[in-house]
Amino acid sequence: QSALTQPASVSGSPGQSITISCTGTSSDVGSYNLVSWYQQHPGKAPKLMIYEGSKRPSGVSNRFSGSKSGNTASLTISGLQAEDEADYYCCSYAGSSTLYVFGTGTKVTVL
Amino acid sequence: EVQLVESGGGLVQPGGSLRLSCAASGFTFSSYAMHWVRQAPGKGLEYVSAISSNGGSTYYANSVKGRFTISRDNSKNTLYLQMGSLRAEDMAVYYCARRVAAAGTRGGWFDPWGQGTLVTVSS
């Protein structure tokens, strides 16, 4: 099972909006509404930001939103802030044979 | 507070063995499937292994199948990963994570994650 494809890096100025794509296949992203997104600051554990494609856990800013179209999921960060600078990973359920596949990761830089 | 704390990482020679532990607190451990995910230095996340809530079902990525064994002790609220025949490419930070899922669904998401434990494979 190949990793989901994400852009290596995305950048934006404070206050701007950015979108990170996560492209999979009809066996994972396209088949299940089970894409989750994780934020990881350097040296820290990943933190859940979005689950089931577009739902936000309690405590996560509403500046983070998720969506999906076909085999591609997206994470949008609006009103970009300095603390949003981190690595972001998508993850999709991929069925009982593979279980889960992660994205390649995207480094978000706040200019 | 829901918390996961890994331990057991360290330096091991190629071909050696190591057992990682993940102590859970703040939730009913026996009700959740648990997972291990690793991250090689400077690299992305890689899904490694999973175990069902009662320990009856396990899953391994092809990269570790036959070398790693996942287990759990629900009486001790602890998850384990026994790693054998370790290779240089197994060197990584190993995270345990709780799988959360909607009722009746097989798939889910990971929340929370432990802080990770570093496994270094080197002679």
Side-chain angles (χ1 to χ4, degrees):
Chain A
Q1 183 76 28
S2 299
L4 307 176
T5 301
Q6 297 180 232
S9 63
V10 174
S11 62
S13 299
Q16 286 187 329
S17 293
I18 61 169
T19 296
I20 302 168
S21 61
C22 168
T23 302
T25 70
S26 58
S27 297
D28 38 64
V29 176
S31 285
Y32 306 96
N33 193 29
L34 286 168
V35 173
S36 49
W37 289 90
Y38 303 88
Q39 177 191 64
Q40 186 181 35
H41 287 108
K44 300 296 186 181
K47 174 188 174 185
L48 177 69
M49 304 301 286
I50 295 288
Y51 66 98
E52 289 186 318
S54 60
K55 297 179 181 178
R56 270 189 318 274
S58 173
V60 171
S61 171
N62 59 10
R63 297 185 299 103
F64 292 85
S65 62
S67 63
K68 191 187 88 166
S69 178
N71 296 337
T72 298
S74 299
L75 174 71
T76 297
I77 309 174
S78 58
L80 201 60
Q81 299 181 1
E83 66 251 36
D84 300 331
E85 190 162 288
D87 293 326
Y88 291 82
Y89 294 91
C90 60
C91 178
S92 176
Y93 180 67
S96 57
S97 297
T98 304
L99 287 194
Y100 296 91
V101 60
F102 282 96
T104 50
T106 298
K107 181 176 181 59
V108 169
T109 301
V110 181
L111 301 172
Chain B
E1 178 193 6
V2 176
Q3 193 171 16
L4 299 171
V5 178
E6 300 94 337
S7 60
L11 174 64
V12 61
Q13 292 186 338
S17 299
L18 207 59
R19 188 177 83 156
L20 306 183
S21 299
C22 169
S25 60
F27 65 99
T28 304
F29 181 70
S30 59
S31 295
Y32 290 87
M34 295 295 296
H35 300 248
W36 288 98
V37 177
R38 69 184 180 184
Q39 186 171 36
K43 302 297 184 182
L45 300 173
E46 180 189 9
Y47 187 66
V48 174
S49 184
I51 188 167
S52 61
S53 57
N54 64 5
S57 296
T58 58
Y59 168 88
Y60 301 94
N62 287 337
S63 57
V64 306
K65 197 173 295 182
R67 300 186 299 119
F68 289 12
T69 301
I70 190 172
S71 62
R72 65 191 296 162
D73 186 337
N74 285 346
S75 68
K76 295 182 178 179
N77 291 343
T78 303
L79 173 73
Y80 302 101
L81 187 67
Q82 179 69 47
M83 303 185 296
S85 301
L86 283 162
R87 307 165 179 167
E89 55 264 36
D90 296 318
M91 185 161 65
V93 174
Y94 284 74
Y95 296 100
C96 63
R98 181 183 71 168
R99 189 211 71 167
V100 182
T105 62
R106 286 179 171 263
W109 52 96
F110 305 115
D111 183 47
W113 299 56
Q115 86 288 352
T117 187
L118 177 63
V119 173
T120 302
V121 183
S122 175
S123 54

